[in-house]
Amino acid sequence: MKKMIYAVKRGRKTGIFNEWLKCSEQTNKYPNSKFRRFEYRSELENEAEDVPGSLRYAIKEAEEYLGDLVYLGERADCLEDASWKEDGFLPFGDESEADNPESFSDMREQEEEEDNEEEYGKWLAGNRNALDVPVGYWKTAEDMSRYVSIIKESESENARTSAAEKLRKELKICLSDVNLSRLTAVYRDKEAKNALGYDAPAVSAFVAQMLRAYPKPELSEIEDVEEEPSMRELLMQAGAVESELRDKVVGQDAAIEKLRAAYFDRELTVRLQPDKGGPKSVYLLAGPPGVGKTFMAQQFAFKLGFPFRRFDMSGYSNREAIQELVGFASTWKDSEPGILTEIVSKHPRCVLLFDEIEKAHISVIRLFLQILDDGFCEDKYNKRDVSFKKSIIFFTTNAGRQLYGAARNENLTLLSDKVIIDALEKDKDLETKQPFFPPEILSRMSSHTVIMLNHLKADAIYELVENDIKNRLIKIKKKYGCELA
């Protein structure tokens, strides 16, 4: 499997990085930045330096590209250096930095301080480029801070109750966002029987960290966030997404390649036709259960660095569930904004996953007609249209069994969109005997990307089990300090 490292010759930090996003953090909007990627193969990763395709061979090529910059690490074998093992980064700089190792030791001390959650928030606020602050996170932080103030200071019981309920919903949303997993660890496992559902001091600490980590940017900075990546950055980004998915998602290389190509094509189309209706991009992942559809969408969002929200559509199987998504009219008692519309209004650039869409009520499914056609959905509570034009949407489904039921050894990714859509249209719910999807929603989906994932082969299942065991052993060692053979 092809993998990449990235050498930054001119940027905020110079050196070799194991991920595109780490490289991008150093070069994005940095004046006259210079970097290059170098390939190696996972099956040759541990081979010697003189073996083309090995990781050490790629690092040797990267060192040649870096030219006069010298290695600032602590170990002669760079792959044994803590900076590579822990952070995927090999520091390089000019000779003056090499003669003064304190600059690197200061960096190491800073990285060690990140293990302290409170210090992590301060470090992130101080080191994050303001232009890279995800749109909407600072709004969420300010909203939660306001709710905390109301709970602590308001004399009105109704106001405190309402603020606690709103804060509780924000906390749940943050827990589902993979980009916030480091910060939400403060309260994640500290459930309590109160209005928030979590330990109050832990929640206060989390809100304080969010405010430090995602300060409100200046108006000019907010506008700069909307700037489109260059063609080179877009190509690199698509390649990095593919590389990350191949590394994390097992047994679905063909589907990953199709997703990468579709992502790049759609980004290019949006750039050439900015007024085109609908969301930025839409993907329908079909196929057998348990083959990685949900995980693929989640890792896709994580690699792009966008806010991510998964909706388990089995929880929206009745007609009234649509109001939970788009909100209740403000004239109703205890009315509130919709979960879906609220997320997208705060995070226009986000990745939304509607998991097992066929399990939703037909009225809920029809809600997506307007979103797919026009890229808008009305929030009933605020009585305003919410734009999905910058959002990326994933649907997953286990429907279409007649295609994959007996085809355990076939490459289902080669099936045409029309064949898959026809199968989805014919598949029916075994209980109601009604089709899973109305024809009008399938006609919209057919104009987007449709991918059928394959059954997992024996070697892929073996790799998944092996990885799971390794991860469990690592957790046991970390928690109990003992190593199992």
Side-chain angles (χ1 to χ4, degrees):
M1 181 172 62
K2 182 174 69 174
K3 301 176 77 172
M4 300 284 182
I5 59 172
Y6 304 87
V8 177
K9 194 170 186 177
R10 185 179 299 160
R12 297 178 181 89
K13 286 183 182 178
T14 52
I16 299 173
F17 298 84
N18 67 345
E19 292 183 1
W20 158 245
L21 281 184
K22 295 175 183 176
C23 167
S24 178
E25 287 173 0
Q26 315 311 321
T27 59
N28 188 30
K29 297 183 175 69
Y30 186 88
N32 302 315
S33 63
K34 288 186 178 181
F35 65 94
R36 184 177 296 174
R37 65 178 181 175
F38 298 87
E39 295 182 4
Y40 67 98
R41 307 289 302 181
S42 58
E43 58 269 24
L44 300 173
E45 183 170 342
N46 298 318
E47 295 294 332
E49 183 182 275
D50 58 350
V51 178
S54 70
L55 176 55
R56 284 183 168 83
Y57 187 89
I59 289 176
K60 182 177 70 173
E61 290 184 311
E63 288 180 359
E64 293 174 358
Y65 166 72
L66 293 175
D68 295 335
L69 299 181
V70 297
Y71 177 53
L72 303 178
E74 300 174 334
R75 299 285 190 94
D77 184 352
C78 57
L79 295 185
E80 293 299 320
D81 203 307
S83 66
W84 180 261
K85 285 185 172 182
E86 297 171 9
D87 304 306
F89 168 57
L90 296 178
F92 279 73
D94 57 36
E95 291 184 3
S96 62
E97 292 178 87
D99 294 336
N100 181 14
E102 291 182 1
S103 61
F104 182 59
S105 63
D106 288 344
M107 185 193 306
R108 289 294 314 281
E109 289 174 6
Q110 181 186 45
E111 292 167 350
E112 290 169 3
E113 289 175 355
E114 290 176 23
D115 291 335
N116 181 296
E117 289 294 338
E118 185 173 353
E119 291 301 318
Y120 174 73
K122 296 178 182 177
W123 175 87
L124 188 58
N127 288 271
R128 177 183 293 278
N129 178 10
L131 302 182
D132 293 333
V133 174
V135 177
Y137 280 3
W138 61 270
K139 294 180 183 177
T140 298
E142 290 197 339
D143 285 347
M144 291 193 297
S145 178
R146 188 173 70 254
Y147 299 148
V148 169
S149 297
I150 293 173
I151 294 170
K152 290 181 177 180
E153 301 170 7
S154 177
E155 297 180 358
S156 168
E157 180 65 28
N158 289 337
R160 291 198 301 271
T161 301
S162 176
E165 178 63 20
K166 291 177 180 178
L167 179 56
R168 183 179 64 81
K169 290 189 176 183
E170 291 288 0
L171 292 172
K172 285 189 173 182
I173 292 173
C174 290
L175 281 176
S176 67
D177 191 333
V178 294
N179 297 319
L180 298 176
S181 59
R182 180 72 182 267
L183 296 180
T184 55
V186 172
Y187 72 90
R188 183 183 299 119
D189 298 323
K190 296 183 179 180
E191 296 182 358
K193 293 183 179 179
N194 55 30
L196 298 178
Y198 299 95
D199 178 64
V203 170
S204 294
F206 166 69
V207 173
Q209 288 185 24
M210 280 288 289
L211 287 170
R212 288 194 298 268
Y214 299 105
K216 181 177 180 180
E218 300 296 330
L219 180 60
S220 60
E221 294 172 350
I222 297 174
E223 294 171 347
D224 283 339
V225 172
E226 306 297 325
E227 183 178 319
E228 291 183 340
S230 66
M231 183 63 68
R232 182 183 69 173
E233 290 174 329
L234 187 56
L235 281 166
M236 294 285 284
Q237 190 176 60
V241 167
E242 179 184 7
S243 179
E244 178 76 5
L245 292 180
R246 285 178 183 270
D247 190 44
K248 297 288 180 64
V249 182
V250 177
Q252 300 295 348
D253 285 0
I256 291 169
E257 168 61 25
K258 188 171 182 179
L259 178 61
R260 180 206 61 78
Y263 168 71
F264 179 78
D265 289 346
R266 181 60 184 175
E267 289 288 321
L268 205 56
T269 299
V270 170
R271 179 173 299 187
L272 296 174
Q273 300 175 310
D275 297 328
K276 192 175 179 64
K280 192 171 188 180
S281 53
V282 179
Y283 308 98
L284 173 60
L285 305 182
V291 296
K293 299 187 291 292
T294 301
F295 187 62
M296 185 182 294
Q298 179 179 321
Q299 292 302 310
F300 180 94
F302 183 76
K303 191 61 182 177
L304 290 180
F306 290 169
F308 171 77
R309 178 64 189 264
R310 171 183 174 264
F311 294 86
D312 180 357
M313 300 311 289
S314 63
Y316 298 88
S317 57
N318 59 72
R319 182 185 296 273
E320 291 73 24
I322 193 171
Q323 293 171 322
E324 186 176 341
L325 294 173
V326 300
F328 296 80
S330 56
T331 53
W332 285 46
K333 182 181 179 181
D334 299 327
S335 60
E336 56 189 15
I339 295 175
L340 174 60
T341 49
E342 186 78 350
I343 289 171
V344 177
S345 64
K346 289 185 175 181
H347 307 287
R349 294 174 184 265
C350 63
V351 178
L352 304 171
L353 168 61
F354 300 97
D355 213 3
E356 297 186 327
I357 182 65
E358 76 277 9
K359 294 184 178 180
H361 190 274
I362 194 72
S363 298
V364 176
I365 293 178
R366 286 198 170 99
L367 167 69
F368 294 102
L369 289 174
Q370 183 183 10
I371 295 175
L372 295 179
D373 279 346
D374 305 321
F376 289 95
C377 180
E378 183 185 8
D379 185 310
K380 303 297 183 183
Y381 178 82
N382 294 307
K383 294 182 179 179
R384 67 182 182 192
D385 284 339
V386 176
S387 174
F388 286 68
K389 289 184 176 293
K390 296 178 182 177
S391 304
I392 297 174
I393 294 178
F394 279 86
F395 297 101
T396 71
T397 180
N398 296 328
R401 291 174 180 80
Q402 61 269 44
L403 286 180
Y404 65 75
R408 304 197 67 86
N409 296 314
E410 303 296 329
N411 185 358
L412 301 173
T413 310
L414 296 177
L415 293 172
S416 68
D417 291 2
K418 185 178 186 307
V419 170
I420 299 173
I421 292 295
D422 287 347
L424 296 179
E425 188 173 7
K426 294 174 183 177
D427 205 356
K428 296 182 178 180
D429 189 313
L430 295 177
E431 294 183 2
T432 65
K433 308 300 181 184
Q434 296 297 315
F436 283 117
F437 300 102
E440 58 268 28
I441 197 72
L442 288 175
S443 69
R444 268 69 167 190
M445 289 184 177
S446 65
S447 64
H448 296 281
T449 302
V450 182
I451 303 174
M452 177 74 77
L453 275 69
N454 292 312
H455 286 281
L456 294 179
K457 305 294 191 297
D459 58 339
I461 296 174
Y462 177 85
E463 184 177 346
L464 284 171
V465 173
E466 185 180 36
N467 290 340
D468 183 59
I469 293 173
K470 287 180 180 178
N471 290 334
R472 290 174 184 270
L473 291 177
I474 291 171
K475 289 179 180 178
I476 291 172
K477 181 180 179 181
K478 185 176 181 180
K479 186 172 183 179
Y480 300 106
C482 59
E483 190 166 350
L484 302 178

